[in-house]
Amino acid sequence: MGNLLKVLTCTDLEQGPNFFLDFENAQPTESEKEIYNQVNVVLKDAEGILEDLQSYRGAGHEIREAIQHPSDEKLQEKAWGAVVPLVGKLKKFYEFSQRLEAGLRGLLGALTSTPYSPTQHLEREQALAKQFAEILHFTLRFDELKMTNPAIQNDFSYYRRTLSRMRINNVPAEGENEVNNELANRMSLFYAEATPMLKTLSDATTKFVSENKNLPIENTTDCLSTMASVCRVMLETPEYRSRFTNEETVSFCLRVMVGVIILYDHVHPVGAFAKTSKIDMKGCIKVLKDQPPNSVEGLLNALRYTTKHLNDETTSKQIKSMLQ
C-alpha cells in the first residue's frame, strides 16, 4: 500500500514513461518527510477554503440597496457591515494562495533536483507526487468556483470604493486594519484573474525555473509532462482505472492532468500544443471528451482559455478543432 506501482514501461518514446501512481494511498518515506510535512500543513486547510468559497453568497442585495439610497445612513452601514466580514474571507483565500505557492516551490525543488530524473523522482517519491497532484486538484476546483461567483469582485470593488470615500471624509473605517492599501492592490490583481490560483501556480513555476538557472528547464517540464502522461494512461486503461477504490479519484486525475498541461504550457518555451511537446495532447483531450460532458466542460474551458500557446500557428488544426 502506498507504493508507486510501476505497471507500464512504455517503449514508445513519444508517449513518454507511464506509471500507475497510487494517489489514494501513497505515504511518505523518511527522505520525503521534511518537505511532505511542510506541504501537509498547507494542504490540510485546502478543503476548508473550498467550503468557504462554495458557501460565499456575497452582499449583492445590501450593496444594491445602499447604492440606490445613497443618503440613507442605515443602509450604508448595513452594506458596510455585510461586506467587511466577506472581505476578511477574501483576504484569507488570497493569503492561502501565497502559502500554496510556497508549498509548490518546495515540491518542485524536491521533484526536480539532481541526480535523479523527474521520472525517477515520481517513482521514488510518490507521496510528494501525490501532494503536487493535490495542489493542482485544489487549484482547479478553487478557480471553477471563483469563475461562477461574480459576487467576489463586486463585493471587493464596493469595499474599496467605500473605503476610499471614508478616507476622504475622515471617517474611521472599522476593519480597515485587516486590508491595508498595498494588500488591497495585490488582492485586486489576484481576483481580476479569471483563474487566480492557476495564475499563482504558473507564475510560481516560471519563477522557480528562472531562479534555478543551474537546473535544466527540462527537469521541471519533464516532471509536468510525466505527470500528465501518468494521469492519461490511468484514465484511459480500464485495468488501471479499476484499481481506484474511490469514485472521486477519476475527477481527481482529470483535474490534475489538465492542471499540469496548463503549467507545462506556461513554463515550456514552445508550450504543450507544439509537435515537439512531450505531452500527448490529442490523447489527453480524447480522455476528457470520453467522460460525461457535464463533468468536464470546466476542464475543457480551462484548456481553451487559460493556456498560453493553444492559438499559436504551431498548434495543429486537429488539436484546435478538438477543443472547439
Side-chain angles (χ1 to χ4, degrees):
M1 292 280 281
N3 283 347
L4 173 73
L5 306 171
K6 188 173 178 181
V7 294
L8 178 67
T9 305
C10 195
T11 51
D12 182 350
L13 288 176
E14 283 185 14
Q15 297 301 307
N18 300 309
F19 305 93
F20 183 91
L21 259 169
D22 193 354
F23 281 140
E24 294 177 340
N25 303 300
Q27 296 298 319
T29 57
E30 268 314 305
S31 63
E32 293 170 88
K33 273 189 178 166
E34 186 183 348
I35 297 283
Y36 182 90
N37 290 339
Q38 287 168 15
V39 177
N40 206 41
V41 170
V42 180
L43 282 172
K44 70 180 175 53
D45 293 335
E47 204 54 46
I49 293 285
L50 290 173
E51 283 167 12
D52 279 355
L53 179 56
Q54 197 151 17
S55 62
Y56 188 102
R57 291 290 168 263
H61 173 71
E62 291 87 345
I63 290 170
R64 275 192 304 277
E65 289 285 299
I67 289 170
Q68 283 164 9
H69 306 92
S71 55
D72 188 326
E73 278 308 311
K74 278 194 175 167
L75 288 176
Q76 307 309 309
E77 283 170 20
K78 191 177 177 188
W80 181 248
V83 163
V84 167
L86 291 171
V87 168
K89 278 189 179 184
L90 296 182
K91 179 187 176 219
K92 186 170 84 169
F93 301 160
Y94 171 73
E95 287 172 341
F96 186 77
S97 79
Q98 305 305 289
R99 294 172 60 205
L100 203 67
E101 177 184 345
L104 177 77
R105 287 157 72 88
L107 287 174
L108 284 173
L111 292 171
T112 60
S113 61
T114 51
Y116 301 115
S117 72
T119 304
Q120 288 169 322
H121 274 298
L122 292 176
E123 206 171 346
R124 295 165 60 90
E125 292 146 18
Q126 63 270 27
L128 297 186
K130 180 188 173 194
Q131 286 187 319
F132 184 37
E134 284 170 345
I135 286 178
L136 289 160
H137 182 248
F138 164 84
T139 295
L140 268 75
R141 284 175 72 200
F142 182 96
D143 287 346
E144 281 168 14
L145 289 169
K146 185 265 173 188
M147 274 197 281
T148 54
N149 196 338
I152 288 173
Q153 275 179 280
N154 294 341
D155 291 349
F156 197 61
S157 296
Y158 178 80
Y159 174 83
R160 297 205 74 185
R161 286 198 310 273
T162 307
L163 201 55
S164 128
R165 202 164 55 242
M166 290 162 100
R167 282 199 188 115
I168 291 164
N169 298 328
N170 289 321
V171 177
E174 187 190 338
E176 188 194 344
N177 296 338
E178 277 208 24
V179 180
N180 62 32
N181 214 33
E182 188 216 344
L183 177 58
N185 287 335
R186 282 187 280 130
M187 284 171 64
S188 275
L189 290 171
F190 177 76
Y191 288 112
E193 293 289 339
T195 51
M197 284 289 175
L198 213 67
K199 179 75 165 67
T200 301
L201 293 201
S202 294
D203 289 351
T205 308
T206 305
K207 196 174 174 188
F208 172 82
V209 168
S210 65
E211 284 177 357
N212 291 275
K213 291 190 170 34
N214 58 332
L215 198 67
I217 186 172
E218 289 75 27
N219 284 31
T220 303
T221 53
D222 286 359
C223 175
L224 301 177
S225 59
T226 303
M227 185 77 91
S229 185
V230 166
C231 292
R232 176 181 56 75
V233 169
M234 290 201 295
L235 288 161
E236 69 189 7
T237 314
E239 181 195 334
Y240 309 144
R241 201 163 161 159
S242 66
R243 295 182 182 217
F244 299 156
T245 56
N246 185 339
E247 58 191 44
E248 290 294 309
T249 307
V250 171
S251 68
F252 180 88
C253 278
L254 288 165
R255 279 200 179 91
V256 172
M257 181 179 77
V258 169
V260 284
I261 289 169
I262 295 166
L263 277 186
Y264 183 99
D265 196 51
H266 279 263
V267 176
H268 196 283
V270 296
F273 299 96
K275 280 182 181 169
T276 53
S277 163
K278 290 190 179 177
I279 296 179
D280 173 10
M281 282 307 304
K282 289 175 194 167
C284 291
I285 295 167
K286 185 180 180 302
V287 164
L288 282 166
K289 295 213 158 180
D290 286 345
Q291 312 306 315
N294 294 348
S295 66
V296 292
E297 195 53 37
L299 296 178
L300 287 167
N301 282 339
L303 287 179
R304 288 174 187 128
Y305 306 123
T306 64
T307 46
K308 191 175 177 182
H309 294 282
L310 174 61
N311 295 314
D312 288 5
E313 286 178 14
T314 49
T315 302
S316 77
K317 285 179 182 169
Q318 191 185 354
I319 288 177
K320 285 180 180 174
S321 69
M322 286 176 87
L323 281 173
Q324 273 172 359

